Amino acid sequence: MRKRRLLAALVFTIGLLAVAGLVAERALRPPTRLPAVPEERTLDAEIPGIPNARYWVGLDVEPFVRDVLAARERETAALASAGHAGELPPTALLAVSGGGDKGAFGAGLLCGWTASGRRPRFKAVTGISTGALIAPFAFAGPDYDHVLRSVYTSLGPHDVSRRRSLLAAINDDAMADNRPLWVQLSRYVDEALLERIAAEHARGRILLVGTTNLDARQPVVWNMGNIAASGAPGALDLFRGVLLASAAIPGAFPPTMIRVEVGGTTYEEMHVDGGASAQVFVYPPRMRAVAATLGEEMTREMDLYVIRNSYLRPQWAPVERRTISVAGPAIASLIHTQGTGDLVRIYLTALQDGLDFNLAWIDDDFTVEHTADFDTAWMRALFDYGFRQGRDGYPWKKTPPNFEAMARP
């Protein structure tokens, strides 16, 4: 009897070990993907059913420029049908930067700007990372201010991501799962929003979002109006996927895998945070020069507004002597420096093209302590701060931070 019990216990133990081994094997198995687009076919990859969905602005600017010119034609036709004659009127552009939960500043500023009665109807809106999440609603107009307020004053960490185990650093594609953010996108980015964006696209307005193709190590600019207006069955999912990708910090959140076709063969592109390429963007500096080679002049009067969802100066904090503790602040420092460089590039492009440059950032008078990412109370305070600034008339800066000092010989 005793031997029988021992044998049963042994069989049970072996069974448990086998199950544990199977679970461990599956846990250590990395996520799979379809093949990446071959390097030499990078520019040939297309989104099925959605032509001109995006541009490789670091490799070939001309397709982007041609679509901008096509948008101008649509705008001219729309204005003519409304009785406008002559040259296109002055207009405004808006660029919204990355910044994580500090996007509450930009969201509040836009809502306060609406309350002031002086917010322009932007010809074009661009966004990266948290700016990409703001951009569609800023583009759709003040009717969607309630969404910006809801997102940036009520969401918490659990609405953005879920932590994974420490094994994710070895065998998974990120330390956290961003499916909760997908749920939020599915809630707010719906067919009605796509219809609104498609209608504005038809009037010649432009909505752009930036991601980074990690296989190609190249920035990708997505024409969200083309996607919305395509009528393709997968347009809504692609629209949401691009927004999710643009806010997917590499290593922290999973990349978005986007299926493309090249010559009838299906591949997958790996897209991550647009901030891996730039913190904020407007258009390629060579845009007007390329348009000139196509026989078109672009000399319209424009006001450019750039919202930098960040402080002017890096935020000081002591760092523990541990790998993760060191890596985080190092990346934050890199992002801050890159963001300053982006502002200088945009400013110089604005000077070159005759745009009136206007810049906003979080000033030192916002002193609420930031103790955790996506802390709801802190975001609400920052939103309210931005709202007051927009409502009372934000004192737009006319040059990037410390530009005069940098330009001095």
Side-chain angles (χ1 to χ4, degrees), residues 231-314:
L236 181 57
D237 279 346
L238 177 63
F239 196 103
R240 292 169 177 166
V242 170
L243 298 182
L244 190 70
S246 188
I249 302 170
F253 301 132
T256 296
M257 307 306 297
I258 296 179
R259 294 199 174 190
V260 297
E261 288 185 0
V262 179
T265 302
T266 302
Y267 298 93
E268 270 187 334
E269 295 177 343
M270 180 180 289
H271 287 262
V272 297
D273 197 328
S277 299
Q279 289 301 302
V280 62
F281 75 102
V282 181
Y283 57 77
R286 293 179 53 241
M287 182 180 76
R288 293 196 177 188
V290 173
T293 66
L294 299 174
E296 299 286 347
E297 294 296 325
M298 304 179 75
T299 57
R300 187 175 183 180
E301 183 181 341
M302 293 186 181
D303 295 325
L304 169 61
Y305 296 93
V306 181
I307 298 177
R308 177 76 173 105
N309 291 305
S310 180
Y311 295 94
L312 172 60
R313 288 188 291 272

Side-chain angles (χ1 to χ4, degrees), residues 9-309:
L10 180 60
V11 170
F12 179 72
T13 301
I14 292 172
L16 281 179
L17 291 173
V19 171
L22 181 61
V23 170
E25 180 187 357
R26 288 181 177 175
L28 292 172
R29 192 180 300 162
T32 59
R33 61 170 294 185
L34 294 179
V37 177
E39 181 181 0
E40 67 276 8
R41 302 301 302 274
T42 295
L43 295 179
D44 300 325
E46 296 181 346
I47 306 297
I50 308 180
N52 298 333
R54 77 285 180 73
Y55 317 102
W56 299 90
V57 292
L59 300 174
D60 185 7
V61 178
E62 186 173 321
F64 174 86
V65 176
R66 288 188 180 278
D67 266 10
V68 170
L69 294 173
R72 187 174 67 177
E73 291 179 3
R74 292 195 303 274
E75 183 183 10
T76 300
L79 288 171
S81 66
H84 175 83
E87 295 182 356
L88 291 173
T91 191
L93 310 177
L94 174 67
V96 191
S97 84
D101 54 5
K102 292 188 284 294
F105 169 70
L109 182 66
L110 285 165
C111 292
W113 205 352
T114 299
S116 76
R118 296 186 293 270
R119 175 173 158 184
R121 181 174 179 268
F122 302 106
K123 159 70 175 180
V125 178
T126 73
I128 276 182
S129 198
T130 195
L133 304 182
I134 293 172
F137 306 107
F139 181 83
D143 288 349
Y144 280 82
D145 280 3
H146 69 283
V147 175
L148 293 176
R149 179 181 290 275
S150 176
V151 169
Y152 285 95
T153 65
S154 64
L155 267 60
H158 61 281
D159 297 307
V160 177
S161 64
R162 283 197 305 265
R163 287 186 179 181
R164 291 172 171 169
S165 72
L166 290 177
L167 285 175
I170 302 171
N171 67 291
D172 220 325
D173 56 3
M175 294 301 298
D177 185 348
N178 59 358
R179 272 180 287 188
L181 182 56
W182 176 264
V183 171
Q184 296 301 324
L185 287 173
S186 300
R187 175 184 176 188
Y188 293 111
V189 179
D190 55 14
E191 290 287 359
L193 177 62
L194 248 63
E195 290 174 6
R196 170 71 71 92
I197 290 170
E200 295 302 319
H201 173 81
R203 297 184 182 100
R205 297 178 64 214
I206 302 170
L207 173 61
L208 304 173
V209 165
T211 67
T212 300
N213 182 308
L214 210 52
D215 296 313
R217 317 300 200 266
Q218 288 287 334
V220 177
V221 172
W222 296 82
N223 190 322
M224 307 302 276
N226 276 347
I227 295 172
S230 70
L236 181 57
D237 279 346
L238 177 63
F239 196 103
R240 292 169 177 166
V242 170
L243 298 182
L244 190 70
S246 188
I249 302 170
F253 301 132
T256 296
M257 307 306 297
I258 296 179
R259 294 199 174 190
V260 297
E261 288 185 0
V262 179
T265 302
T266 302
Y267 298 93
E268 270 187 334
E269 295 177 343
M270 180 180 289
H271 287 262
V272 297
D273 197 328
S277 299
Q279 289 301 302
V280 62
F281 75 102
V282 181
Y283 57 77
R286 293 179 53 241
M287 182 180 76
R288 293 196 177 188
V290 173
T293 66
L294 299 174
E296 299 286 347
E297 294 296 325
M298 304 179 75
T299 57
R300 187 175 183 180
E301 183 181 341
M302 293 186 181
D303 295 325
L304 169 61
Y305 296 93
V306 181
I307 298 177
R308 177 76 173 105
N309 291 305

